[in-house]
Amino acid sequence: SYALDNQSVVNALLPQMQDSNIAQTINDLSAFTNRYYTTTHGVNASNWLKTRWQQIAAGRSDITVEQFNHSWAQKSVILTIKGTDNPSEVVVLGGHLDSINGQGTSESTRAPGADDDASGIASMTEVLRVLVAGGYKPRRTLKLMGYAAEEVGLRGSQDIAKSFKAANTNVVGVMQLDMTNYKGSDKDIYLYTDYTDNAQNQFVANLLTTYLPAIKIGYDKCGYACSDHASWSGQGYFASMPFESSFTQDNPYIHTANDTYANSGNQAQHALKFSKMALAFMVELGSDGP
Ligand SMILES: N[C@H](Cc1ccc(I)cc1)C(=O)NO
Ligand SMILES: [Zn+2]
Ligand SMILES: [Zn+2]
């Protein structure tokens, strides 16, 4: 349910979250020449993420990491934390692991994608690290997803959302983290209202006012299917897309060689807000029994 009835657990975990870890992951991912869905670097970045998540999850027999195969080279990465007594109900936290250069992306083209979307993957990875460090075990199943090929038509998340629907998987909620670290606007977190679910968006707003009362919340629309949340809402699942800025003030560097950590303010404080929100989302939804 959308009741905020796990406050002691969430409040014990939130202080453990660190922007330094987020910054490291952003820089690790930015170091690939590009992460385009058809290049060797794009394939290597997917394999790197799988290994990274496996390292963090080491020792947890309830956590598995797999790659989801697509018709192109780059695979999506899915980490699963199996629920204890309500495993058939699933909560998804996603971001995309690919990057693109708007001028065209070949093997040698530079596309660091620090904000788009290394920041989202880094925000998610810090959620994973703290959930494991804190010994949290969800009652529902939690899944972290690094989607391939978002930049070329939300293709990785389309494949995954369609396969989940075909399997009749009971995904109770999805949060998308695409661009979390460039603070382009005066408010902190903007909840996008198109291709998302109103009731879940209200729940996310309640999470923010309860757990992160200093955060200023905004609302906006993309006007098109601007990230992977649209793949899930298109299959009838409840999705939310919290974003780093208002639509008109979005990061001007994306899809260029200049989408770097330095051009995101040389900090990860903004992304940390998203990590905290996402942790609260995963724990509050993940702790519901059958
Ligand atoms: N189209 C999106 C970028 C994007 C998403 C939301 C907003 I507001 C502005 C820009 C993209 O490139 N996602 O990878
Ligand atoms: Zn993009
Ligand atoms: Zn993106």
Side-chain angles (χ1 to χ4, degrees):
S1 75
Y2 290 155
L4 305 189
D5 47 3
N6 297 275
Q7 304 205 21
S8 56
V9 174
V10 174
N11 284 323
L13 295 172
L14 289 179
Q16 299 180 45
M17 310 195 87
Q18 297 164 357
D19 57 306
S20 56
N21 295 317
I22 299 170
Q24 184 61 57
T25 304
I26 290 172
N27 284 305
D28 290 342
L29 285 167
S30 300
F32 291 94
T33 302
N34 59 68
R35 298 190 302 277
Y36 193 58
Y37 80 120
T38 57
T39 68
T40 59
H41 314 296
V43 169
N44 292 341
S46 173
N47 295 337
W48 180 89
L49 187 64
K50 175 179 182 267
T51 303
R52 185 78 188 94
W53 281 359
Q54 283 174 326
Q55 285 167 346
I56 293 170
R60 283 282 294 263
S61 59
D62 58 334
I63 303 179
T64 53
V65 187
E66 62 188 314
Q67 285 175 300
F68 189 103
N69 294 327
H70 301 289
S71 60
W72 58 87
Q74 185 181 63
K75 298 178 171 69
S76 298
V77 181
I78 299 177
L79 176 138
T80 300
I81 311 178
K82 192 169 186 302
T84 53
D85 67 339
N86 188 17
S88 68
E89 296 183 358
V90 181
V91 188
V92 174
L93 178 62
H96 68 87
L97 58 79
D98 65 316
S99 74
I100 196 170
N101 187 310
Q103 307 298 310
T105 319
S106 64
E107 274 295 311
S108 58
T109 310
R110 190 76 177 99
D115 193 38
D116 189 13
D117 183 30
S119 66
I121 298 295
S123 295
M124 296 164 55
T125 300
E126 182 63 358
V127 171
L128 175 65
R129 186 191 70 80
V130 171
L131 290 181
V132 171
Y136 175 69
K137 301 216 169 169
R139 298 182 70 180
R140 284 174 161 153
T141 292
L142 305 184
K143 286 184 182 274
L144 270 61
M145 299 191 179
Y147 306 116
E150 184 275 346
E151 302 286 10
V152 287
L154 319 180
R155 292 178 60 188
S157 58
Q158 277 285 0
D159 281 355
I160 293 169
K162 284 178 177 171
S163 90
F164 274 52
K165 194 68 182 171
N168 208 21
T169 302
N170 185 7
V171 177
V172 299
V174 182
M175 177 176 278
Q176 173 73 354
L177 296 182
D178 185 357
M179 298 164 61
T180 65
N181 201 35
Y182 177 87
K183 191 173 189 305
S185 303
D186 66 316
K187 293 188 168 82
D188 296 295
I189 295 181
Y190 288 76
L191 301 181
Y192 277 65
T193 56
D194 48 350
Y195 303 91
T196 60
D197 179 74
N198 286 336
Q200 188 177 276
N201 289 342
Q202 183 56 54
F203 167 59
V204 174
N206 289 344
L207 290 171
L208 290 168
T209 55
T210 301
Y211 291 113
L212 303 171
I215 293 292
K216 295 191 287 295
I217 305 169
Y219 293 86
D220 210 337
K221 284 180 188 288
C222 280
Y224 67 103
C226 59
S227 195
D228 298 300
H229 57 296
S231 293
W232 292 98
S233 56
Q235 295 301 318
Y237 292 114
F238 302 140
S240 292
M241 214 280 271
F243 192 75
E244 66 190 9
S245 73
S246 68
F247 185 74
T248 56
Q249 296 183 301
D250 75 313
N251 185 342
Y253 299 106
I254 65 166
H255 303 184
T256 77
N258 300 315
D259 179 4
T260 59
Y261 179 70
N263 284 336
S264 304
N266 226 40
Q267 50 74 47
Q269 288 288 344
H270 200 46
L272 180 61
K273 301 166 193 168
F274 289 78
S275 285
K276 292 182 173 179
M277 169 191 59
L279 182 137
F281 181 82
M282 296 301 262
V283 172
E284 286 289 4
L285 280 188
S287 300
D288 287 339

